[in-house]
Amino acid sequence: MSGGTALNPKTAPPFPIAATAMVGNTQLRKNVRHATDVIQAKRARVVGEMPDWQALRDAGSAVREHTIRNLPFYLEQFERNCTAAGGHVHWARDAAEARAIVVRLAQEAIARGRTAPSIAGRPAGEPQGTHPGAGEAADGVALQGEVIKIKSMTTEEIQLNRALESVGIHPYETDLAELIIQLGQDQPSHIVVPALHKNRQQIREIFLREMKLEHLGESPQDLADAARRFLREKFLRVETAISGANFLIAETGGVCVVESEGNGRMCLTLPKTLITLAGIDKVVPRFQDLEVLLQTLPRSATGERMNPYNSVWTGVGKGYAAGDGPEHFHVVLIDNGRTEVLADAEARQTLHCIRCGACQNACPVYRETGGHAYGSVYAGPIGAILTPQLLGMHYAQSLPYASSLCGACYEVCPVKINIPEVLVHLRGRVVEENTGGLKTITNPEAMAMKAAGAIFRSEGRFRAAQRLGRMGETPLERRDGQGQKWVSWLPGMLGGWTNVRDLRAMPQQTFREWWEERERKGAPAGEAG
Amino acid sequence: MTESSAMSSREAILSRVRGIVGEARDADTVGLEWAALPRAYNAASAADRDAVLLRLIDRLHDYDAQVYRVSPEEIAGTVREIVSLLGLTEVLVPAGLAQGWLPDGVAFVKDEGFSPRELDRFTAVLTGSTLAIAETGTLVLQNLPGQGRRAATLVPDVHLCVVREQDVVATVPEAMRRLQATAELPTTFISGPSATADIEMTRIKGVHGPRFLHVLLVR
Ligand code: SF4
């Protein structure tokens, strides 16, 4: 059921080609723009409430940097404490190994469910172990079992669902957006709101068809009710769950999951076995550090002061807490290219990411193209720096160029990752790779990068370039009805941009010029700084 | 996968990380470095108690939760009112709940480790809480007497939660400091009823968790 062509950067078309197709999809662009507008407005409002927002960003950035610098210490500490609390920690170097571990753990859990007629502490007489094996997969192969899943980009990254299905285990996505994606045989296009490219009519059609409903209203409420009914039965029945993690707490061995719908809590507390997959970058030093991250993540991600539900649990619980949640708990720590990112000192800050998606919503390129053009589950600015690094630069070479370097992503990032800086650095690596590591300038791209580098390094040159640009584009400008100036044709390589969209003419005054003039005149009192 | 190859993956990853950032440093050195991290954000709030309580109520309303301000003696009566309004005769409660909170005429069923299906029989659950955070409108529940298992506050559609005014803090950092001693307990931060905005960014209440949250704020 979760078929479709998985987003695989190794086989995806280069960004410019994929993006051209997306830019032609008016409905998709409209849906993406609406969703990102709404989240951005909400985010701006709740971030504006926080007088200490910049201090929180600084603290978040410092905590992440400190963690990554001490990763061996914190990973071992997490493993020790999680194990002491009755959890089992596994390590996976790559996607294949992680898939193998999770599939084996799921198979073991399902087998346990079949052989155990009743479990101590749970009343007998409850139907036990009768469900696996019920139902048939589309190709007629009897299902050997089922698992429920919480939305997790890491499981998407390793394409876990297909691996589970190949051994006859059916994974039910329980996050509403992921359910829409799964039933629609689609792919996520955003790390926080994966189905934002679908509107309600499209979702209704998918639900009618896949849930085999006769009637279904069209309001978001009707659709959510249908999902509630469809999934409730699975929550009560399926005894194995798979989750991701937002944070692994080294100090306690605890795991934190942040969510809204309650599907996460269902998966974390009702099944007998819970398997959590997490990147080695997900560790945070102490419980107290959540005071920073729980303030910045929800506000950045969904524009809420706090997510409706955050869950923290440690192993299988001791003493009074035993029996609160699963009897078997596993954490699979996965590298899958993260140590490659670590090895590049200039791009290492990519690992600070807490996957809030704010940079996606703020990115003009993402907002025009939607997520699928990035060919990876990580779309937008974070995807543009993360994907090529996780997979090796020769895949996804075009991604570091899928940005206008406008800096909006850096501005909103709650842990202050300087994405533009990393993008420029990665572009340098792409050029280096394409020129065989030779520093000779052989292609126009390299030349342009070199020129851009020279310009950005000197303030004087940067200003001169802005003036030149303004003069150069003057003959190409035309005015629209509102008197705004637009450029609809650019020469040479730059034409790739204007083929599909108009470019706003450069303002007659740059921000710097405006600022300097304002300083000269004296800023009006009370103006927000 | 054999045990030994699992071991080798662990070693492979850790030794690669060590090769890049250096050997793991000792706990004291790491601890000192952690303690020196910049934390210039607001740890506490200067607002007075009334302002903090009003802020909590405002935030809870913002999430569509119902709030009742009551004295300790009024808890049972308010519970009865809510329960009769819902037309219920039976309410789930965790072990260790204060007896005085339970009105006569309503059957209270203690959670004895019910299976998910058995929990699904209940429409409402009544619990206490560890604390509440005004700034974010958040209730925090832990596995403690009177608060119970996480599943019990999740499956029923209505959650009645008692919060004592003395357990209300202004900010998230204040909450985390109070929770530090019991950091290892299963802990749930609840901010309003279950909600989603996955469909055209329209906020919808109650996808999978409780759809209705009633908060009894006790003087
Ligand atoms: S890079 Fe920053 S803004 Fe983008 S998802 Fe990660 S944490 Fe959020």
Side-chain angles (χ1 to χ4, degrees), chain A residues 191 353-359 382 409 412-415 417 419:
Chain A
I191 58 177
C353 176
I354 55 171
R355 307 280 191 270
C356 72
C359 56
I382 180 61
C409 47
V412 294
C413 178
V415 289
I417 299 173
I419 298 178

Side-chain angles (χ1 to χ4, degrees), chain A residues 232-431:
Chain A
R232 171 103 0 179
E233 175 263 332
K234 274 106 196 149
F235 287 132
L236 300 181
R237 179 163 59 91
V238 179
E239 296 185 337
T240 308
I242 297 175
S243 85
N246 289 92
F247 307 109
L248 308 173
I249 307 160
E251 176 189 30
T252 58
V255 182
C256 176
V257 162
V258 172
E259 50 118 10
S260 291
E261 294 170 11
N263 67 305
R265 293 177 68 194
M266 293 271 181
C267 294
L268 301 175
T269 57
L270 301 184
K272 293 185 178 152
T273 302
L274 172 60
I275 305 162
T276 296
L277 179 73
I280 53 171
D281 51 326
K282 285 291 170 78
V283 69
V284 298
R286 302 202 186 178
F287 184 71
Q288 195 197 319
D289 293 314
L290 296 182
E291 75 186 21
V292 180
L293 302 166
L294 288 184
Q295 288 196 81
T296 48
L297 175 61
R299 286 180 203 258
S300 303
T302 49
E304 299 207 55
R305 298 185 180 106
M306 189 67 94
N307 273 66
Y309 299 131
N310 304 333
S311 300
V312 181
W313 75 99
T314 311
V316 290
K318 286 181 277 196
Y320 186 81
D324 184 339
E327 294 158 33
H328 308 274
F329 172 56
H330 300 268
V331 180
V332 182
L333 296 173
I334 178 170
D335 175 352
N336 203 31
R338 284 158 179 79
T339 49
E340 293 294 327
V341 186
L342 190 66
D344 182 340
E346 285 179 73
R348 182 178 296 173
Q349 53 177 316
T350 309
L351 293 179
H352 299 177
C353 176
I354 55 171
R355 307 280 191 270
C356 72
C359 56
Q360 293 189 283
N361 306 328
C363 177
V365 177
Y366 172 84
R367 283 160 58 85
E368 287 305 323
T369 59
H372 294 154
Y374 293 78
S376 147
V377 295
Y378 303 110
I382 180 61
I385 59 172
L386 187 59
T387 304
Q389 295 189 77
L390 288 184
L391 280 132
M393 298 298 294
H394 47 292
Y395 302 107
Q397 269 203 350
S398 57
L399 286 184
Y401 293 89
S403 163
S404 59
L405 296 183
C406 69
C409 47
Y410 179 34
E411 197 73 14
V412 294
C413 178
V415 289
K416 290 182 87 166
I417 299 173
N418 193 331
I419 298 178
E421 184 182 282
V422 178
L423 282 166
V424 171
H425 168 71
L426 293 179
R427 288 181 189 187
R429 274 178 57 185
V430 169
V431 171

Side-chain angles (χ1 to χ4, degrees), chain A residues 28 83 104 115 127 153 165 181 248 259 262 266 278 309 367 423 438 454 495 516 518-520:
Chain A
L28 178 133
T83 308
R104 172 175 57 86
T115 51
M153 286 292 121
E165 286 190 357
I181 301 276
L248 308 173
E259 50 118 10
M266 293 271 181
Y309 299 131
R367 283 160 58 85
L423 282 166
L438 296 173
E516 281 161 5
R518 176 179 171 282
E519 295 281 282
R520 268 200 309 278

Side-chain angles (χ1 to χ4, degrees), chain A residues 92-167:
Chain A
R93 273 168 292 194
D94 54 25
E97 196 175 0
R99 284 193 296 262
I101 294 171
V102 175
V103 165
R104 172 175 57 86
L105 293 172
Q107 284 173 322
E108 284 171 8
I110 289 162
R112 245 193 330 264
R114 286 213 184 90
T115 51
S118 100
I119 301 278
R122 309 213 181 203
E126 172 200 353
Q128 296 271 359
T130 50
H131 62 274
E136 294 233 315
D139 56 5
V141 179
L143 290 176
Q144 291 167 19
E146 298 159 303
V147 295
I148 46 179
K149 278 188 71 206
I150 317 179
K151 168 179 177 294
S152 146
M153 286 292 121
T154 317
T155 62
E156 301 272 1
E157 175 188 321
I158 66 165
Q159 301 185 14
L160 179 66
N161 286 3
R162 285 212 274 177
L164 288 166
E165 286 190 357
S166 74
V167 298

